[in-house]
Amino acid sequence: MKKLNVKNNEAAIYGVGGLGEIGKNTYGIQFQDEIILIDAGIKFPEDDLLGVDYVIPDYQYLVENKDKIKALVITHGHEDHIGGVPYLMKVLNVPIYAGPLAMALIKNKLEEHGLLNSVELHEISDKSVLKFRKMKVSFFRTTHSIPDTVGIAVHTPVGVIVETGDYKFDLTPVTNQPPDLQEMARLGAEGVLCLMSDSTNAEKPIWTKSEKWVGTSIAHIFDNIEDRIIFATFASNISRIKTACDNAMAHGRKIAVFGRSMDAAIVNGRELGYLDIPDDAFVDAHELQSLPANKTLILCTGSQGEPMAALSRIANGTHRQISIQPGDTVIFSSNPIPGNTTSVNSVINKLEEAGANVIHGRVNNIHTSGHGGQEEQKLMLRLMKPKFFMPIHGEYRMLKIHTELAEQCGVPLDHSFIMQNGDVLALSKDSARMAGHFTAGDVYIDGSGIGDVGNVVLRDRQLLSEEGIVVVVATINLTNQEIQSGPDILSRGFVYMRESGELLDEGRRRVFKTIRKSMLAKKATESSIRNAIIDDLQEFLYNKTERHPMILPMLIMNGKE
């Protein structure tokens, strides 16, 4: 078991995920034999992680210390904060504490994984207090792009450690859940030992626009559209869904919902009272045909260009129930996440080609970030007045800028700590120091497989996607040193076989000679013959084509070796 270099009178804080990256937010606060976990998120894969669905943290340190973990507390219900919950619960069964919306979303995830009846769940509010033997946890309300967002204060014997979660200071939120500035100021007045704060927008010298401001822009757009509206946004952005639905009802439009996650968001939002939409405001897909174009709103997923989302299928003409009609207006009420820009642009192009008018981008004022800019980050620092500072939730450059903002707000630069996942910060009442490191790498989820896709598999996928594969099939009798059939060569993604007969015939003759030569060697084995085929054919094909396809020999062995 990995033992931290932390003294008995020190608290330890660390990121299992979420440091130096956007996503995988999973943080630990530890005092002696008690650990409070904050969030359990996933990260969406970069383009080079071919075939990978999600990335989660390596939970090994937590598994080794599972008896110390008293609770998993959740700041809010976005995937980069709760997406890893079912995977974490498979290796650690610890009590979960979350607000109403986050809890509803977590229950859905646990049910999908067959874990709902085996996990201890507790719904909390911003007024809740959790008491453990040595530590206490309290909450304060923040604003983000999803309701029921809280910051977390962990009261340890050496001082209070605050983790903000994702936040902005939206003073006119459409959910009527304004940030609790008084509670933040009270925590700061009583003394915050260390602040762990969201760094996502640390590069932007702004005060992020209110959701109410976006609502005004969307209302103006609805006023000027006479035909059908297709509105795409994140299913988790309940505030934006509310704005779209409120405007639809104000203009006498019926609402049709497409996308499983959007359906679930509407159900949860209505049950929890965030969406005040009567049953008769909704219509099914088959009812759309009988309604005038100016009396319909199609609410759907796919604002990030996801291939299987409703909007992408509409754009491609493969959706079973909806096709683009002349005069349709499609509103993208989100900005592309880094890495998704190409996919989003592709969907926009297809929609435009099909005859739709597409409204997107910052110029139309139809989206605002859920994360505070520099001015809000400075306000949080001023309210909390921390002795020490640890920026979280951001890539390195964002964390670095955030420490510079902290210095401007009275936190000495040597009291700020830019950390990596697995780094440990030890805090006493008056000091902070780096106290070691544990392994906290990435674990890839591909389909139902967890952790069975490693760097070798990813390298093979990269090679296949770029250079293709050449399969060599032969039947050989190693005892008699005979080639009984073949070799045959098959190409997939390397060269078009019908037009490359001469190349493949020459390759076949070369492989034939290589196999015969290899069988005649002393101590010849199937493995040695395979390796000889790979080495010789790779050299030959590179000399002819300047490409490096994957070579896969398939040898059928007759006789005894």
Side-chain angles (χ1 to χ4, degrees):
M1 182 183 292
K2 181 75 175 178
K3 186 171 173 57
L4 303 184
N5 179 25
V6 179
K7 298 172 184 173
N8 219 32
N9 65 339
E10 291 177 319
I13 57 178
Y14 42 80
V16 184
L19 299 176
E21 60 188 351
I22 302 292
K24 279 185 27 235
N25 293 284
T26 310
Y27 306 98
I29 297 176
Q30 183 169 346
F31 185 80
Q32 296 176 3
D33 60 350
E34 288 188 356
I35 297 174
I36 303 297
L37 287 182
I38 299 175
D39 291 338
I42 59 169
K43 183 168 71 171
F44 293 101
E46 302 288 343
D47 290 342
D48 59 342
L49 298 180
L50 299 170
V52 172
D53 296 321
Y54 309 114
V55 185
I56 60 173
D58 183 346
Y59 297 132
Q60 186 57 39
Y61 175 79
L62 302 179
V63 171
E64 291 174 355
N65 291 274
K66 61 183 177 182
D67 294 336
K68 299 177 183 177
I69 300 173
K70 303 304 175 188
L72 169 62
V73 291
I74 302 296
T75 60
H76 67 286
H78 277 154
E79 286 293 300
D80 56 338
H81 294 259
I82 65 168
V85 167
Y87 304 105
L88 182 61
M89 290 301 108
K90 287 176 181 177
V91 295
L92 295 176
N93 198 329
V94 299
I96 299 174
Y97 298 82
L101 181 55
M103 184 59 77
L105 296 169
I106 287 169
K107 285 179 178 177
N108 291 343
K109 292 179 181 298
L110 293 175
E111 190 168 26
E112 285 178 14
H113 288 260
L115 297 170
L116 184 57
N117 296 325
S118 61
V119 177
E120 183 182 332
L121 302 172
H122 301 274
E123 190 174 294
I124 56 97
S125 75
D126 58 301
K127 304 302 181 187
S128 299
V129 177
L130 315 179
K131 293 183 178 178
F132 303 97
R133 198 160 55 88
K134 296 174 181 174
M135 291 194 285
K136 182 177 77 171
V137 180
S138 64
F139 304 87
F140 55 94
R141 191 172 60 233
T142 58
T143 44
H144 187 39
S145 55
I146 188 171
D148 298 334
T149 308
V150 293
I152 293 169
V154 179
H155 304 253
T156 78
V158 298
V160 177
I161 298 165
V162 172
E163 206 266 46
T164 64
D166 293 359
Y167 74 92
K168 63 192 279 188
F169 284 103
D170 189 343
L171 306 180
T172 54
V174 299
T175 54
N176 198 31
Q177 292 182 336
D180 192 343
L181 299 170
Q182 290 82 2
E183 180 60 18
M184 296 180 208
R186 188 189 66 78
L187 283 165
E190 292 182 357
V192 171
L193 179 63
C194 185
L195 175 65
M196 304 164 67
S197 187
D198 172 18
S199 306
T200 309
N201 276 344
E203 295 175 292
K204 298 179 180 178
I206 60 169
W207 185 292
T208 302
K209 294 286 189 181
S210 168
E211 188 65 32
K212 189 80 78 178
W213 172 81
V214 176
T216 302
S217 299
I218 290 173
H220 180 70
I221 291 170
F222 270 68
D223 288 341
N224 292 284
I225 295 175
E226 295 296 330
D227 291 303
R228 194 169 63 167
I229 298 175
I230 301 173
F231 193 97
T233 190
F234 292 111
S236 60
N237 194 337
I238 300 291
S239 300
R240 199 65 49 79
I241 293 171
K242 174 178 168 56
T243 297
C245 291
D246 287 350
N247 276 285
M249 291 186 289
H251 288 79
R253 292 178 181 265
K254 296 293 186 181
I255 303 161
V257 181
F258 293 92
R260 191 176 66 166
S261 59
M262 187 64 77
D263 265 325
I266 296 286
V267 170
N268 289 327
R270 294 177 76 199
E271 286 180 353
L272 295 169
Y274 300 125
L275 299 176
D276 184 15
I277 311 171
D279 290 342
D280 62 6
F282 294 100
V283 292
D284 293 329
H286 67 271
E287 296 177 81
L288 284 174
Q289 303 303 324
S290 61
L291 289 171
N294 65 348
K295 294 299 178 185
T296 57
L297 169 72
I298 293 171
L299 189 63
C300 66
T301 55
S303 64
Q304 294 301 304
E306 306 95 314
M308 297 309 294
L311 187 60
S312 292
R313 288 184 285 125
I314 293 169
N316 292 329
T318 57
H319 198 286
R320 288 180 301 168
Q321 296 160 312
I322 313 170
S323 59
I324 292 296
Q325 301 172 0
D328 281 352
T329 296
V330 181
I331 300 172
F332 278 76
S333 192
S334 66
N335 288 333
I337 294 171
N340 290 352
T341 304
T342 302
S343 301
V344 172
N345 288 341
S346 174
V347 171
I348 291 172
N349 286 331
K350 288 174 182 174
L351 290 167
E352 294 270 11
E353 287 170 11
N357 174 39
V358 181
I359 298 175
H360 64 95
R362 292 183 178 88
V363 69
N364 293 296
N365 300 335
I366 50 174
H367 180 62
T368 184
S369 176
H371 302 269
Q374 289 184 0
E375 298 307 309
E376 288 143 290
Q377 291 169 350
K378 288 188 280 190
L379 176 57
M380 182 65 79
L381 284 156
R382 289 295 188 188
L383 287 168
M384 291 294 176
K385 297 186 288 189
K387 185 174 288 185
F388 300 104
F389 178 59
M390 175 182 160
I392 60 171
H393 197 302
E395 297 174 4
Y396 181 86
R397 67 186 187 281
M398 303 169 188
L399 305 182
K400 183 172 183 291
I401 292 170
H402 207 169
T403 62
E404 293 166 0
L405 298 177
E407 185 180 26
Q408 294 173 26
C409 294
V411 180
L413 202 54
D414 61 359
H415 283 210
S416 288
F417 296 86
I418 300 175
M419 295 170 54
Q420 298 178 350
N421 295 328
D423 287 348
V424 179
L425 183 65
L427 298 161
S428 70
K429 291 180 179 180
D430 302 306
S431 66
R433 63 183 181 87
M434 299 302 293
H437 178 87
F438 58 84
T439 301
D442 290 342
V443 173
Y444 303 129
I445 297 174
D446 184 357
S448 60
I450 303 173
D452 56 357
V453 176
N455 291 333
V456 173
V457 174
L458 288 171
R459 189 181 66 230
D460 285 350
R461 289 180 179 179
Q462 186 80 25
L463 185 61
L464 286 169
S465 72
E466 293 176 352
E467 308 281 5
I469 184 171
V470 171
V471 181
V472 178
V473 184
T475 302
I476 62 178
N477 186 315
L478 194 53
T479 304
N480 298 333
Q481 298 178 330
E482 290 179 345
I483 300 175
Q484 296 179 329
S485 69
D488 293 317
I489 294 180
L490 303 173
S491 164
R492 291 294 181 269
F494 170 58
V495 292
Y496 185 44
M497 292 186 66
R498 286 187 183 180
E499 296 180 359
S500 305
E502 188 177 323
L503 172 70
L504 297 179
D505 284 342
E506 189 178 346
R508 202 175 292 118
R509 290 192 294 271
R510 181 147 178 163
V511 170
F512 185 89
K513 292 177 183 177
T514 300
I515 295 174
R516 290 202 58 168
K517 182 179 178 181
S518 300
M519 285 195 300
L520 294 173
K522 291 180 180 179
K523 299 181 180 180
T525 64
E526 180 183 354
S527 178
S528 67
I529 297 170
R530 283 171 53 86
N531 290 337
I533 292 170
I534 292 170
D535 291 344
D536 195 48
L537 194 55
Q538 271 189 343
E539 180 185 0
F540 167 74
L541 292 176
Y542 182 77
N543 288 336
K544 294 290 184 180
T545 67
E546 294 190 356
R547 292 186 226 158
H548 280 297
M550 179 181 287
I551 310 294
L552 183 61
M554 298 181 66
L555 302 180
I556 300 164
M557 308 295 290
N558 287 334
K560 295 182 179 179
E561 291 188 25

